Amino acid sequence: VVEPYQPSSVESTPYQIALKWGWWALNEGNLSTATKYAFKTLKLRPFSKATLIFCVCVLRDKLNTKH
């Protein structure tokens, strides 16, 4: 018997997913993906401390990258 899907209370919110995937992208050096998630976190929670720290780190890495 297959049980119907019921979301658990420990599932991540779209904000938490965007922040986590953004940090993963930044840590791997994928600045374009990190930037995408930075904008997404700003849209979802613009005044969150975690959002601001993440966005500053993305901006710092983008400014330090030589093209």
Side-chain angles (χ1 to χ4, degrees):
V1 175
V2 176
E3 297 286 329
Y5 174 75
Q6 294 183 1
S8 69
S9 62
V10 295
E11 288 187 12
S12 298
T13 65
Y15 169 76
Q16 291 169 324
I17 293 169
L19 189 61
K20 178 171 48 173
W21 284 45
W23 277 114
W24 286 347
L26 186 63
N27 289 333
E28 292 298 319
N30 192 337
L31 291 177
S32 61
T33 302
T35 302
K36 168 187 159 183
Y37 285 110
F39 281 112
K40 192 167 194 170
T41 59
L42 278 171
K43 180 181 175 186
L44 293 170
R45 290 195 188 163
F47 301 109
S48 166
K49 182 179 178 181
T51 295
L52 297 177
I53 290 170
F54 174 59
C55 290
V56 166
C57 289
V58 170
L59 183 60
R60 176 202 61 200
D61 285 8
K62 286 184 78 73
L63 292 174
N64 286 333
T65 302
K66 295 180 182 178
H67 284 52

